Amino acid sequence: MDSDSLDWIWGDFNNSPNLAELFEEVEDDNYTLFDSNDDDKSDSSSESSFNNDCSLLIGDQKSAQELNEIVNDIKIQYDKTLSELNTTTDGELEDDNHISIDKLYIDALEAVKTNLSDIELEWADTLYQCTVNEKTVPESYTKTTSIEKLIILYANNFVEQFKIKYPNRRQLVLVLLNECGVQKCVCTAIKPSRLVYPNLKDLISYSEFVAKHITYIKLEDPVAVPNKIMSPTTTIEMQTANCFEMAILLVSFLIGCEYNAFVVYGYASEIVCNNDLRKVRIDLEEYDQEKSDSENNSENLDDANSLEPKNDLCSKYVKFLIEEEKNKTVVKDEVKEINFNDSSDSLFGKRVHAWVIIIPLKIEDENINEIPYFIEPSTGERKEVYDENYTGIEAIWNHRNYWINLQSLDAGCSYNFNLTNTKCWEQFLPDKPQHLGGGTLDLQFNENTTFKHLVMPSSWVNVLEVPRNKYYMLYPSGKKVVTYMNAIKEFYADYIMPDGLIEKNTFFNDSEYVNKTFVTEIYKHRIDKLISVETKYTAKENETVEYFRSGRGDFLKTHKFYGDCNNIETKRFLTFYNLRLDSMAELKIDKNSFTTAFNDRSDLLFWRKCVLQQIENNDCQNLNVKRKSMSIVEKYLRDETKHKDRDIATISFNLEFNSIYVQYQYGEGQITQSSRLFQKPTMTRNEEFDPKSVIEDIVYPYEGHLNAREAYLMLQDMIEAEKEALRNVSKLEDDVLKMIEIRSRERTVFKLKIDSLDWDRNHGIRKLLQNEKDKKLALSKRDKSKQVENSLPYHVIIKRLFTQDNNALNVREKIIQNFKQKTKKRFTQTKHLFATKQFKLQSMMKALETDRFKEVELKNKTLILCSLLKNELNVLTLRMERYNETRTERYNNLASYLNSYPDFKSLSPLKLYF
């Protein structure tokens, strides 16, 4: 990269308050109920950012001034359109009619998508013209050197002799036109390169990167080789490629990483050639088996022996995410069931395709017997050579030579891949003076002459580089959707979605993709440590499981619930990391009971169950209020230091019948337990202790029965133990209520964070972020009396609002209105920002079409800025889609919490929308 490569990625950011707001959303609070009043300034300085961006990017003040003159030509049109946008959007989302609000959001989103489609077409034309224009590409793309001309001449002669020798074989692919219409040998199109990004280091990472970064397009003629192939640099610029271009790009990276990789030219099935995964069914049987283990664990929680051994509720897929792909040795290969039918495709065995083969090199003094394998560039997956989707190979090549397959093409690809075997493979350039005979081409040489064999010239392609803005976008538009027979997978780049979503897998039980059966959402960079959310749809009720990384204040690991997530009576199952002070490992909540499991407690308590008094519904509202305990059961492990008849196994506190039942541990060889039943004295009157209130059942009375004093002291101990158990249960219920409130807020308010050590994302913005924080701090101090801190829990915000207004209806209405206003403001601000960036990009593209750009370097830098702006438009569109998708869900989440809040129990419940 050039010296400016670290500056242009943040050039637009450093001087654009609009883009700064996007990153401010990521680091701070995207959906705050009560935010600072400085949101209105988001678009105030957009005009000044036009002039500053160009000068920072280009570096040359004179050239930047020329570019700014072109930008200013359409400012009047921009201001006019933006003013019309303000008049049509301001206030239009204030309508209380939910249907009309939905329509307004959808209409605004559709308008943005239409504009983005037009821009994509314009940008594709502009990029193509600038890329293939002979005045802007390097000289090696438009001219051929002497050695290249010699190789092309030799190749043409080789092809003609091959036709004569094998008249029934397809024409060889040795020389093709590049994007500039110049003949080039296909071997020289491979440019061994490595990218500078630390995440790209091996075959797996590069294979997945190419599959994600490049949009696959099928060949125009499925049975013919294209007469023109773009270079890898153009492929990276355009981010669209056919199978040949993607294979050449991937091989360039793999050879740069010292893999023995080759481009394969052959034949494949319709599924592979068209990259049509709608005929591929994802098999979920193994995943369902893993989930069933977790279900069995939760169902057997009441059994004391079910905790030994303890099953890990975390699935292998989530562990894979936590470990961040450590010890990964093979390319990720989805488990698929393929409906393979030869007769359904009339062109079976004739469809031309290109892919990659890896032939492991033999290492001396080491007995390594690795077989070759394929890599499909369009998916990044590893395939075996006997895969039935690959039906034959015509030839393979790398950057040094070209080999023609002389073996039968009718028996799949299980060939002999020893390229030195002249009976199986014919090479284009000989390694030494010899006949290419042995049943091969008949090329004659004079044995008395010294033969100077040709070598493949160096590649004419520039070193492959991926700009940072494109690398961080990962996918061509920040999003990639893959459709299978029974599922739809959506992939997003980091920090693109406001809630940190990077992958969403939706499974269906019908081919119309209507009836969902299972949904998995994967998240990154969440402050609440959320990893993934799995939702299973059933006819009775939906099951949702949330997975978290370690580091939360409540040490939550997994959270499974059914139905309403904000209701304490909802059936749920929670697991925790082994860092809690109370050693709680698992918690099961039913409609009227809590069941808790512990690990490694000093008092040997490992299980507790509390049955609570059921509260009748009040006006169809489920209030999250504390309930009275009816009974508590505690179970303890064996303490070898105590006698069995003094070592308590189970204590049952029956608060309804005012009794305590104690069971002791089993003795060696015993099949029954000793027990004592304590009847507590009533609190209405003072009574003397009655020894008959203690009923003993001692199996082997080595210790003897208790005397009156011992029974009295034990009864007092049991009463104190009951009080302690009640305190623990009350504290547990408080913790659950707090956890429900926290999760309710985390689902409504998305928060992401950027690692302070992330050089690429923080190096250029630290000063700006600090300035923005200083401004916010000054504003918050000035308007402290008028604001409510947005980081406070819901109940604290409600209490503060009640101090200003005692009317519960007004308080609840204020919370709802603030939420709606902030949601609308975020959406409209994003739409305004889209319009700003749209006009900036259009101005740049119009400037590129003029003759003002006489310098190639200036034109290339302008292309980089245009690419950055186009990526921003894609990000803004995806954000608006996510705002619209989650708006109703977040409103329902907030309304459900307010409906369950005790201070609003006298009000009619808020309506939920579905």
Side-chain angles (χ1 to χ4, degrees):
M1 290 186 177
D2 54 48
S3 59
D4 296 329
S5 60
L6 293 178
D7 296 330
W8 62 259
I9 184 65
W10 296 118
D12 184 60
F13 177 84
N14 287 332
N15 293 272
S16 176
N18 299 317
L19 187 58
E21 184 183 353
L22 283 183
F23 280 84
E24 183 181 348
E25 285 182 328
V26 171
E27 187 177 23
D28 296 332
D29 194 345
N30 290 2
Y31 299 109
T32 53
L33 288 178
F34 301 92
D35 206 349
S36 302
N37 294 330
D38 57 344
D39 287 332
D40 297 332
K41 66 178 179 60
S42 59
D43 297 317
S44 59
S45 57
S46 59
E47 294 185 3
S48 61
S49 64
F50 278 106
N51 298 328
N52 295 333
D53 292 342
C54 303
S55 60
L56 279 176
L57 171 71
I58 298 173
D60 184 0
Q61 189 66 29
K62 182 178 180 181
S63 301
Q65 186 176 0
E66 294 179 358
L67 181 59
N68 286 329
E69 291 177 0
I70 302 174
V71 174
N72 291 332
D73 292 341
I74 64 166
K75 269 192 176 182
I76 299 176
Q77 181 184 359
Y78 162 74
D79 293 335
K80 179 180 178 181
T81 304
L82 190 60
S83 61
E84 294 176 356
L85 184 65
N86 290 331
T87 58
T88 56
T89 57
D90 289 344
E92 69 177 3
L93 301 180
E94 298 289 346
D95 193 350
D96 291 333
N97 190 328
H98 187 75
I99 299 178
S100 62
I101 293 177
D102 283 343
K103 185 177 185 301
L104 291 171
Y105 273 93
I106 294 174
D107 290 346
L109 189 57
E110 289 298 326
V112 168
K113 288 183 178 180
T114 302
N115 293 339
L116 183 61
S117 300
D118 296 339
I119 292 174
E120 290 282 358
L121 295 175
E122 294 178 20
W123 169 245
D125 294 338
T126 302
L127 183 60
Y128 183 81
Q129 292 298 328
C130 293
T131 303
V132 303
N133 192 331
E134 297 183 1
K135 297 180 181 179
T136 59
V137 298
E139 185 177 354
S140 61
Y141 286 62
T142 58
K143 295 183 179 180
T144 54
T145 61
S146 299
I147 184 64
E148 286 180 328
K149 292 179 180 178
L150 184 59
I151 285 292
I152 293 174
L153 182 62
Y154 187 84
N156 292 331
N157 183 39
F158 187 87
V159 170
E160 291 299 324
Q161 294 188 54
F162 184 83
K163 287 181 182 179
I164 298 173
K165 188 69 177 180
Y166 302 100
N168 296 326
R169 288 286 296 270
R170 183 183 288 269
Q171 182 179 352
L172 295 181
V173 180
L174 255 173
V175 178
L176 290 174
L177 300 178
N178 66 358
E179 58 265 42
C180 297
V182 179
Q183 283 190 336
K184 297 287 185 179
C185 180
V186 292
C187 298
T188 59
I190 298 175
K191 180 67 174 181
S193 303
R194 297 189 69 173
L195 300 180
V196 297
Y197 305 106
N199 294 334
L200 299 177
K201 55 186 177 182
D202 55 10
L203 180 145
I204 305 159
S205 57
Y206 275 106
S207 300
E208 293 181 349
F209 171 75
V210 171
K212 294 175 181 178
H213 195 68
I214 306 299
T215 300
Y216 178 86
I217 54 176
K218 60 183 180 180
L219 299 175
E220 295 182 2
D221 187 350
V223 296
V225 178
N227 58 4
K228 179 182 291 188
I229 293 181
M230 301 292 179
S231 66
T233 53
T234 303
T235 299
I236 293 175
E237 287 289 341
M238 303 295 294
Q239 289 189 271
T240 57
N242 58 37
C243 55
F244 285 91
E245 294 161 351
M246 289 189 72
I248 291 174
L249 176 63
L250 180 56
V251 167
S252 299
F253 286 138
L254 296 183
I255 294 178
C257 294
E258 300 181 352
Y259 287 94
N260 193 30
F262 301 82
V263 177
V264 181
Y265 156 45
Y267 308 96
S269 66
E270 182 182 7
I271 294 176
V272 175
C273 293
N274 295 338
N275 195 25
D276 185 8
L277 300 180
R278 288 176 296 179
K279 297 182 180 180
V280 177
R281 184 178 184 86
I282 300 180
D283 190 2
L284 288 175
E285 291 181 359
E286 295 183 1
Y287 186 79
D288 292 339
Q289 181 64 33
E290 294 171 4
K291 299 301 295 181
S292 64
D293 296 338
S294 301
E295 294 173 359
N296 294 335
N297 191 302
S298 64
E299 291 174 358
N300 297 329
L301 185 61
D302 291 337
D303 185 3
N305 296 325
S306 65
L307 295 178
E308 296 181 3
K310 180 184 175 183
N311 293 328
D312 190 358
L313 296 179
C314 194
S315 67
K316 292 181 180 179
Y317 186 62
V318 175
K319 286 182 179 179
F320 167 77
L321 292 174
I322 297 176
E323 292 295 331
E324 297 180 351
E325 302 182 357
K326 290 181 179 179
N327 301 325
K328 195 175 179 184
T329 57
V330 296
V331 177
K332 181 181 177 183
D333 191 1
E334 301 284 352
V335 179
K336 298 183 177 75
E337 175 186 342
I338 301 179
N339 292 346
F340 191 79
N341 189 356
D342 300 357
S343 60
S344 62
D345 184 13
S346 59
L347 299 178
F348 180 79
K350 301 178 182 179
R351 294 183 180 273
V352 174
H353 190 60
W355 63 98
V356 177
I357 186 173
I358 305 295
I359 303 179
L361 296 173
K362 294 183 179 180
I363 303 177
E364 296 181 0
D365 302 330
E366 291 189 20
N367 187 15
I368 298 179
N369 188 23
E370 293 189 24
I371 61 175
Y373 55 90
F374 297 149
I375 302 294
E376 176 54 47
S378 61
T379 61
E381 298 174 3
R382 170 175 174 163
K383 302 292 183 180
E384 301 302 330
V385 294
Y386 49 79
D387 192 308
E388 59 184 358
N389 283 285
Y390 299 92
T391 58
I393 295 177
E394 286 282 356
I396 66 174
W397 69 86
N398 61 7
H399 61 304
R400 291 175 179 168
N401 211 339
Y402 190 98
W403 292 265
I404 301 98
N405 180 26
L406 302 179
Q407 303 167 78
S408 174
L409 302 180
D410 300 328
C413 296
S414 299
Y415 299 126
N416 177 359
F417 286 100
N418 182 7
L419 301 182
T420 60
N421 188 340
T422 57
K423 294 182 179 180
C424 299
W425 298 92
E426 182 70 71
Q427 57 186 3
F428 168 51
L429 297 179
D431 293 332
K432 58 184 178 179
Q434 62 179 5
H435 295 296
L436 299 180
T440 60
L441 300 184
D442 189 13
L443 299 180
Q444 300 290 335
F445 296 98
N446 188 348
E447 296 180 357
N448 297 325
T449 60
T450 302
F451 178 75
K452 296 181 180 180
H453 60 85
L454 292 173
V455 295
M456 191 66 65
S458 300
S459 177
W460 49 274
V461 180
N462 283 354
V463 176
L464 305 184
E465 296 179 349
V466 177
R468 292 180 181 271
N469 64 317
K470 286 190 176 182
Y471 175 74
Y472 288 131
M473 284 290 286
L474 190 58
Y475 306 102
S477 60
K479 174 184 178 181
K480 182 178 182 180
V481 179
V482 182
T483 304
Y484 296 88
M485 179 185 295
N486 63 329
I488 296 178
K489 292 193 173 186
E490 303 173 39
F491 302 92
Y492 302 90
D494 291 359
Y495 296 104
I496 294 297
M497 304 306 284
D499 56 351
L501 181 69
I502 62 170
E503 182 178 341
K504 182 178 180 180
N505 304 322
T506 307
F507 297 89
F508 303 87
N509 59 5
D510 58 343
S511 58
E512 286 76 22
Y513 309 108
V514 175
N515 299 319
K516 293 185 290 187
T517 59
F518 191 78
V519 176
T520 302
E521 296 179 339
I522 312 298
Y523 296 89
K524 285 181 69 175
H525 312 296
R526 290 278 293 239
I527 289 182
D528 59 3
K529 309 297 182 182
L530 181 65
I531 300 176
S532 66
V533 178
E534 299 174 354
T535 305
K536 187 175 183 180
Y537 295 87
T538 60
K540 185 178 179 181
E541 57 184 356
N542 298 336
E543 174 190 295
T544 303
V545 185
E546 300 173 328
Y547 297 90
F548 301 89
R549 299 182 189 272
S550 61
R552 287 178 59 91
D554 53 10
F555 306 103
L556 189 60
K557 184 177 183 181
T558 64
H559 178 204
K560 179 193 293 186
F561 59 89
Y562 301 83
D564 185 8
C565 59
N566 295 318
N567 187 2
I568 194 173
E569 296 184 3
T570 298
K571 182 180 177 182
R572 64 183 78 226
F573 184 75
L574 303 93
T575 62
F576 303 90
Y577 287 95
N578 298 326
L579 297 171
R580 291 181 63 97
L581 296 178
D582 58 3
S583 300
M584 183 165 60
E586 299 171 355
L587 175 62
K588 180 181 179 182
I589 301 176
D590 288 330
K591 188 173 183 180
N592 59 345
S593 68
F594 287 173
T595 306
T596 313
F598 302 92
N599 282 338
D600 302 325
R601 280 179 64 110
S602 59
D603 58 358
L604 301 181
L605 175 67
F606 75 93
W607 190 86
R608 177 192 290 133
K609 182 174 183 179
C610 175
V611 179
L612 304 169
Q613 184 178 13
Q614 187 172 353
I615 299 178
E616 296 182 358
N617 290 343
N618 182 18
D619 296 332
C620 300
Q621 295 189 72
N622 295 320
L623 303 179
N624 286 346
V625 295
K626 299 186 69 173
R627 295 163 289 175
K628 181 180 179 181
S629 300
M630 303 299 294
S631 66
I632 301 174
V633 180
E634 296 182 342
K635 296 182 180 181
Y636 296 84
L637 298 173
R638 180 74 169 96
D639 186 356
E640 299 295 341
T641 62
K642 296 181 180 179
H643 188 274
K644 65 176 183 61
D645 289 335
R646 298 289 185 177
D647 187 11
I648 297 176
T650 305
I651 305 179
S652 300
F653 304 102
N654 194 325
L655 288 88
E656 186 176 5
F657 295 99
N658 206 31
S659 64
I660 303 175
Y661 182 63
V662 180
Q663 290 179 296
Y664 296 92
Q665 301 286 350
Y666 288 98
E668 184 176 356
Q670 293 181 354
I671 60 174
T672 57
Q673 298 170 276
S674 300
S675 63
R676 290 184 175 91
L677 177 62
F678 298 88
Q679 191 67 39
K680 295 189 297 180
T682 60
M683 304 298 294
T684 56
R685 56 183 178 178
N686 269 332
E687 296 180 352
E688 295 184 357
F689 172 72
D690 184 5
K692 294 182 180 180
S693 63
V694 180
I695 302 175
E696 299 180 283
D697 181 14
I698 306 300
V699 180
Y700 297 101
Y702 299 123
E703 291 287 315
H705 291 272
L706 300 177
N707 56 37
R709 183 175 181 280
E710 290 176 335
Y712 173 77
L713 293 177
M714 184 169 287
L715 176 59
Q716 295 299 317
D717 292 341
M718 292 298 102
I719 293 175
E720 291 298 322
E722 181 183 84
K723 293 179 180 178
E724 181 66 22
L726 286 172
R727 284 194 292 268
N728 291 334
V729 169
S730 177
K731 182 178 182 302
L732 175 61
E733 196 168 10
D734 289 336
D735 291 343
V736 172
L737 289 172
K738 183 178 179 181
M739 185 272 297
I740 292 175
E741 179 188 348
I742 292 174
R743 287 302 302 139
S744 176
R745 180 172 179 81
E746 289 171 347
R747 294 187 193 97
T748 306
V749 181
F750 304 141
K751 288 188 177 182
L752 304 182
K753 68 175 181 179
I754 299 177
D755 189 357
S756 59
L757 299 179
D758 191 339
W759 180 266
D760 295 311
R761 288 189 172 87
N762 282 302
H763 174 67
I765 64 175
R766 288 172 183 165
K767 184 176 180 180
L768 178 62
L769 289 178
Q770 188 61 45
N771 293 339
E772 292 295 325
K773 289 181 179 179
D774 292 342
K775 292 178 183 179
K776 279 194 170 183
L777 181 61
L779 289 173
S780 63
K781 289 181 179 179
R782 185 187 65 184
D783 303 328
K784 188 175 182 180
S785 58
K786 301 180 181 179
Q787 297 181 12
V788 180
E789 297 182 28
N790 53 47
S791 60
L792 295 176
Y794 282 150
H795 70 275
V796 177
I797 295 176
I798 294 173
K799 294 298 182 185
R800 287 197 176 187
L801 291 176
F802 267 114
T803 60
Q804 303 172 9
D805 190 347
N806 291 328
N807 191 320
L809 180 61
N810 293 340
V811 172
R812 190 180 72 173
E813 190 64 25
K814 186 174 182 180
I815 294 175
I816 294 296
Q817 289 302 321
N818 271 277
F819 173 81
K820 290 181 178 179
Q821 290 174 5
K822 296 305 297 182
T823 303
K824 171 232 172 179
K825 182 175 289 187
R826 293 293 183 185
F827 188 84
T828 54
Q829 283 180 351
T830 307
K831 185 176 180 180
H832 291 172
L833 185 56
F834 182 93
T836 303
K837 299 297 180 181
Q838 174 187 348
F839 277 98
K840 291 171 69 175
L841 177 58
Q842 290 175 339
S843 67
M844 296 295 178
M845 290 190 294
K846 287 183 178 180
L848 288 171
E849 296 174 359
T850 63
D851 296 332
R852 297 193 180 188
F853 289 92
K854 298 180 180 180
E855 298 182 4
V856 175
E857 183 178 0
L858 176 61
K859 197 161 192 174
N860 290 337
K861 289 186 176 182
T862 308
L863 280 173
I864 292 174
L865 180 56
C866 290
S867 176
L868 179 62
L869 290 173
K870 189 184 77 70
N871 289 343
E872 290 174 12
L873 293 179
N874 287 318
V875 172
L876 293 172
T877 305
L878 293 175
R879 284 180 178 272
M880 291 179 66
E881 288 181 356
R882 193 61 176 172
Y883 290 158
N884 185 55
E885 290 176 0
T886 60
R887 176 175 51 85
T888 302
E889 178 184 352
R890 292 185 295 107
Y891 171 81
N892 289 341
N893 188 67
L894 176 61
S896 178
Y897 177 81
L898 295 179
N899 287 342
S900 64
Y901 197 79
D903 289 347
F904 303 127
K905 62 182 180 180
S906 60
L907 303 177
S908 58
L910 292 168
K911 181 181 177 181
L912 302 182
Y913 299 97
F914 298 97

